[in-house]
Amino acid sequence: MQDPLLSVRDLNITFRSEGRVTQAVRGVSFDLGAEKLGIVGESGSGKSQTGRALMRLSPPSAEITAERMQFGGIDLLRASERQMMRIRGNDIAMILQDPKYSLNPLMKVGKQIAEAYRMHHRVGRSEARSRAMAMLESVHIRDPERVYELLPHEVSGGMGQRIMIAMMLIAEPKLIIADEPTSALDVTVRRQVLSVLQELVDRAGASLIFISHDLNLVADFCDRVLVMYRGRVLENLPAAALGQARHPYTRGLLDSLPRLDHPCDELAVPVRDPAWLDAPAA
Amino acid sequence: MTTPNLEVSQLSIAFGQGSSRVEVVKQANFGIGKGESYGLIGESGCGKSTILRAVAGLNPDYEGALLIDGFELPRRRSKEFFRKVQMVFQDPYASLHPRKMVQNVLIEPLQIMGLDRRQERIDTILSDVGLDQSFRFRFPHELSGGQRQRIAIARALIVEPELVLLDEPTSALDVSVQAEILNLLNRLRRERGLTYLMVSHDIAVVAHMCDRVAIMKDGRILEKLTPEQLRNGAVSEAYTSDFLAASAPAVVRAG
Amino acid sequence: ETPANALVMAWNIDSISTFDPAQVGEVVTNELLQNTCEELVARVPSDEAEVRPAFAESWDVAEDGKTITFHLKSGAVFPSGNPVTAQDTMWSLKRVISLGYGNAAQLTDYGFTEENMDERITAPDDTTLVLKFGDVYPTSLLMQAIAANRVAGTLDSKLIMEHEQDGDLGNAYLKDKTACYGPYSLAQWNQGQSVVLEANETYAGEKPKLGRVFIRHVAETGTQRLMVENGDVDIARDLTPDDLRELEAKDGVYVTSALKPQLIFWTFNAADEIFDDPKVRRAMKYLIDYDALGDTVMQYLGTPWQSFAQSGALGALPKEEATPFSLDLDKAKALLTEAGYPDGFEATIYVGSLPWSAPLGQHVQQNAAKIGVTFNIEQMANAQFFAKVRGRDFQTGIKAWQTGVPDAHGNASRLVFNPDNSDEAKATQFPSWRASFYDETMNELVTAAAVETDVEKRKEMYAELQKDWMDNGEMAVMFQTYFVAAARDTLKDWTWNGFQVYYGMASK
Amino acid sequence: MTDISSPPRSGSLGTWLRDPNPTSPLQARLHQSWRMWRKLRRNGSALLGLAILLVIALAALFAPLLATHDIFAQDLGNRLALPSGEHWFGTDELGRDIYSRLLYGARITLYIAGLTAVISAPIGLLVGAVSGYFGGWVDTVMMRVTEIFLAFPSLVLALAFVSALGPGINNAIIAISLTAWPPIARLARAETLIIRRSDYISAVRLQGASALRIIARHVVPMCLPSVIARVTLNMASIILSAAGLGFLGLGAQPPSPEWGAMLSSARQFILSNGFVAAAPGMAILLTSIAFNLVGDGLRDVLDPRHD
Amino acid sequence: MTKSLSATGRGRTIVLPRLVGGLKTLGSVLVTLLGLAALTFMIGRMLPIDPVLAVLGDNATQDAYDAMAAKMGLDQPLLVQFADYLWNILHFDFGNSLLSGRPVADEIARVFPATMELATLAMIIGTGIGVPLGVVAAVYRNSPIDHVARIVSLLGYSAPNFWLGLMGLVVFYSVLGIVGGPGRIDMIYEFDLQPVTGFFLIDSALAGKWDVFGNVLSHLILPALILALSALAYVSRMTRTFMIDQLEQEYVIAARAKGIGRWRIVWTHVFRNVAVQVITVVTLSYAFLLEGAVLTETVFAWPGFGRYMTNSLLSGDMNSVVGCTLVIGVIFVVLNLFCDILYRVIDPRTR
Ligand SMILES: Nc1ncnc2c1ncn2[C@@H]1O[C@H](COP(=O)(O)OP(=O)(O)OP(=O)(O)O)[C@@H](O)[C@H]1O
Ligand SMILES: Nc1ncnc2c1ncn2[C@@H]1O[C@H](COP(=O)(O)OP(=O)(O)OP(=O)(O)O)[C@@H](O)[C@H]1O
Ligand SMILES: [Mg+2]
Ligand SMILES: [Mg+2]
């Protein structure tokens, strides 16, 4: 394997507030090439915090340490805020979970997309507008002229998520972090959004970090999967091999899903073992 | 079939006035027998929650009739109604008052209904939903999402209702917690002989939980199916099969 | 800096409500009217008890002493261009009686009534005015009480009657206008904002030196001080003692004052069980530290005075005799014990909202506490306070009273004399009635003194009356007050006495 | 002798308090308060405010011990004296000791400010919550009434009180309260409009709770933090308007050492003897700032959103 | 034919509800104002302050008193007086001031512009400084900047206005001599200015008299600054609160993830979302300023609305007081309405 695009070693995120110390992420390490990496795990396992730390968007109360957090030639840990501003959106983009809260409610969605482009490219309004229009089309929005003028509350969830994607990908970043981009959507829309995402990644050859707690989805969509539990990576395995996962935690998560093809009376509930935290990193 | 516990007939619900009026539920008909678990499924915004809220009386402006045990419900629901029918909301983070201790959350319905043996009932219901007594004096922000949802379920069940309305009770929770809650709901139904009307957009969940399922689209009930029909893909509407296809699992389990 | 040909004044002029001489009852408008309406006679600036010719060039008193004939200026012209005649003056005087406002008393007190006025007030020709009286009054008293009073200004009857509404004799018209023969006339009045007077071209008397008088309403005393310090006004009229003391020490500003016929007193309602007893009332007079207050709270504002006849009035006692009381708690205590209150009592003091009201109230309150008497102070808006006092609805109150006459009769007729003490009489304009004070002997003495033409005899009668009243009267007079103002050095010849302010004499 | 009600030793009391798994409602409440206290403790400015308030409250409480002079004793010969060893803050226009008067004045001033807050906040809260909760014509009517009160000149109301109920501090408090509640009502209404849409309100409605119960037990506690912050913001103006009514016979009457009254009677000496106004002025300022800091802190602590 | 029918039908469905809604609003506003007038009138007539004495003075005889009371219509039964009053109000006749005898409407038209000019400038300054201050404090929450901003604004809010006013006069007028001092204008100019609008700044500008304009401004600036200080305090505090709420929203993170700089986010994204609330606060404090800062007006000898109303009240001039109350009522109602409409315009979610 050639030099990975992103290389993370021993990432730790600690929250200190009110004298309480919360270790949200413990010693996470991974490399990312031109691939789609899924991060799964139950709620609170540190998926989002890992993703946000990469963009340096952690809350001010977070304390981030890492041996290495290298993106291309840039040391993300030590980059200045100014440098980060240039990186964000331009080199690394982040798609957030819920379009309802992640779009500015008072700004036309088209303008929000165009703004993202103008932040990184010295272009005029009309140029940015036509770019945004093209981007809307590429996320399969049928009537971009009309949608451009809409406000976030006037678009449906699926459309909103596609707008988010358009907004985040318009600057053609090299790395996309998608934090549960589809969990607010229902199944039919989810498929559409994922295929749009797939298309764009393929076209730009970007890497993708896909955060979700839906193992089925990740297995289907990603190339590789990190399984996280309480801030720790328990397993790092190819998505296709998820069915053969060894770790009891991963198995537990898989079993807890109700399935159409396997009716059962009682769903399995994963058992958790604190000892997993001390096991050597995967 | 005996008289259904809940019968919904020609239910139509609209919001807004004049030109901005939209009908979000259109002539829905269905009935739920005693002890049955009935599922409503459909994409976001198709009117599932609206039906539940109408049944619960949170939405008094509806047309059509709602009958419980064969009697039409008055528009203003009485206390007796709330002893029979309770509801669990989708978001456990929003459905508990941030400033009320678990104990107070649970004691309030008892006070309102004038039920006796309050501490005893709380003890029982807490252990029924799988929480120990130490949770009694906690505040919501000291609880995890799954624990909150258990409290919400306990609150609904403490007055011993017959019919429980479940509005996506697990969609805000992650899969492992979802399993716990679904198991809990199933167990309680068995033990108490409850009737469920459950809303979800996850076909697998509904198929797992319900005896009968209605598929909704744009405020209309498209078709009514059994879980077996869902599993076998024996559906008549194209929309339903799209839905099914999208829900197919990707992970093929070894062994 | 102020304009060279204008007099600029900072003054609290909130109280102006009308310019009708028949109706005006307070100090500010009175002063303005004095400078817009020339009276029959004017007080001599240096001696307010003396009068000199004004609109009346001369006058003579008939043999029987009951008729006064005024010989008026001829050829005078109103600002409107109408000629001024004796008929105008006559009309103005009768008008006061007909309208029947408070000022009518200036005439009715001397026997004029609506019925007899046509016969008693006459103008045989354009320059002659004749007043006939039923009794013989001292001429000096009549000159002061009537001829030098604002009721004797000459109004432009023709102009006014053109604007009469519903038989109001121009009362509505004169709300915000002057239509008088006099040195200035009102150019502009904005309530609570400003008053502008302009010199009259047609005025035949001594021409005002400053063509315009500009009064800016400034309610805050501190602001007034800053304005006069800064030279934005020539004179500031409502300064506090402490500001005056500091200003006096400063360059460029001087303090000027004139003793005025106003008394500050603590009045007791004799209808109240406690204060019915003259001993109690007398005891209260020993609770006041007149001198200490005069040197501090009332510095510049007033001088200790205890009699109803103000200093400077004909018949007033000399200072030593007019101030027999001083702070003496033992005497007060003894008097109260005699009156049957060895352990004191509890009562209320009403005070208004003037700057000195509350301090004076607290002063007596504190001294009273030392002999076991509890006073509760209740402060209220002046208009509210007046209503209570006029309604006899009080126990005690601290108030002021001003007379228009530099003659003991002025106050004797109000503070001592009580025409009828019954509630029904509603003699509300008599402070004596308000305090339910009625003394047959004193009443008689007041009436007799008013018609006594022998000056010395009169003075004796008043001396007797004052002594009796100070011992037994319904009020403890504390101070006689000053007009006081701080003026810029550039303002020269500011001339005033207790009764009159002469804008026209001021110069720059 | 044993005293069963005596609390456990401080060590065990501490652990009992800190126990995150309380076993009784009391312990739970105390634990909650303890956590709030810890939150408050980290809030420097709130703590400063609390300290100031404490000092003022103690000064009020121990005024008789701390005062150096009789607060009514006049000394005309030594009026408007500058601060000195004898009179720490100088003397007023009648020669009374300002320092001692300030101490005693704290009692009345705190009483006025406190009671006004205690009266106006519930009225505002109730009107706002009811109006916001019911909406519709109830809302229209109540908001119109609120508007009337907002526009109603407070002096008219104050005067009406003097005539109807007579003078006195308590009537002043009522009069001020009656003009102080509308802004609170508007605030509470705005909050209620959001709260009433939340699931937990739907949930209690499904328990069969009456509107009254919902408002009193569920809506009001949620509005409380911002209402507290709003009320504390008003403290200075409450004290000053109480003084403003003094000359109408409402509020503290002379010779009461109420701060607002002291300040307004010192008004005429501001230029000549500024310190006479400085002492009560600073006292009011400090109290107001302290109330505000505490109010802000309390809002942060009480507001679950900032957990 | 059918086309036109459907068009009118559509028109009716849209226009009619709006019309009805508008009429309803207007109706309730009128009822509010009438209620306000009624309440003020009734309470006012029961006040212990006697307007007759305010006009006649303390010395009047009882006859004169009775005559005056009759002239003022005070001898009628209260209800009759009230009915008369209402009847007049409905004809837009607010009666004459008992004190000055001039029409109340004229009086108010004279004093109101003075206050409005002052309040408007104060509000412009207060908002101009208060809003950015609140925004900065929110962005740097709990930092020294935040604390300083809070304390400064608290000082402004808690310091007695008359004290600030007098001290301001001492420093800037007496000692430094850089402002015009009490009153609206120097006496020399007072006659130069023909009141057209009553706003001296506008009047002098219209007349092209820039020296007068400068003089008016020099008089206006200090009281405006003092009033601005307390408005500023309130506005900045509330802005801070609103901003803190919004800064915690998810879309702020999203905007940062796009690579937008902090201040650009603050002004183009976050601030727009608090604008409505801020405007509500600003209009409310503007309304309170218009109600008249009595003490500030007193200190600055400002012939304004607040002083006029207070003075009328203390003289028992109830016609003026009710007139003033109605003006305040209208101000509140109009500003409220304005906020509501603005809310709908700015925030499309409420439509
Ligand atoms: N601001 C914060 N202060 C303190 N702890 C925090 C903060 N934000 C997150 N945490 C903690 O960090 C841990 C990881 O949170 P994170 O949001 O990464 O979880 P997640 O895996 O994304 O969960 P979910 O699936 O619910 O989104 C959690 O235990 C959470 O409580
Ligand atoms: N109070 C309301 N006023 C106006 N429209 C409403 C209201 N409540 C719901 N709606 C609309 O009614 C439609 C159905 O809403 P509902 O909440 O029943 O959908 P749902 O099927 O439960 O969707 P989800 O899966 O997102 O919860 C939506 O389009 C929604 O916008
Ligand atoms: Mg997450
Ligand atoms: Mg729903």
Side-chain angles (χ1 to χ4, degrees), chain A residues 258-260 263-267, chain B residues 35-40 153 164 166 169-170 178-190 194-200 202-213 227 230-231:
Chain A
R259 301 175 59 140
L260 270 178
C264 59
D265 276 351
E266 184 120 346
L267 297 167
Chain B
E36 199 184 5
S37 171
Y38 197 92
L40 275 180
I153 293 170
V164 183
L166 301 163
T170 59
Q178 165 170 298
E180 294 173 23
I181 298 291
L182 294 183
N183 288 343
L184 169 68
L185 288 171
N186 264 337
R187 197 187 85 229
L188 291 169
R189 181 156 79 97
R190 270 198 313 275
L194 299 169
T195 310
Y196 284 165
L197 171 55
M198 178 166 180
V199 158
S200 178
D202 188 333
I203 279 204
V205 168
V206 173
H208 175 73
M209 294 290 293
C210 301
D211 306 327
R212 285 195 294 149
V213 180
L230 273 180
R231 293 202 174 93

Side-chain angles (χ1 to χ4, degrees), chain B residues 16-34:
Chain B
Q17 250 152 35
S19 58
S20 61
R21 183 184 157 94
V22 272
E23 203 167 36
V24 299
V25 174
K26 298 160 189 159
Q27 287 158 7
N29 284 305
F30 60 91
I32 310 174
K34 265 208 167 38

Side-chain angles (χ1 to χ4, degrees), chain C residues 219-233:
Chain C
E220 185 78 13
T221 58
T223 308
Q224 286 199 8
R225 170 177 166 176
L226 292 176
M227 290 180 90
V228 73
E229 270 180 357
N230 254 35
D232 275 353
V233 295

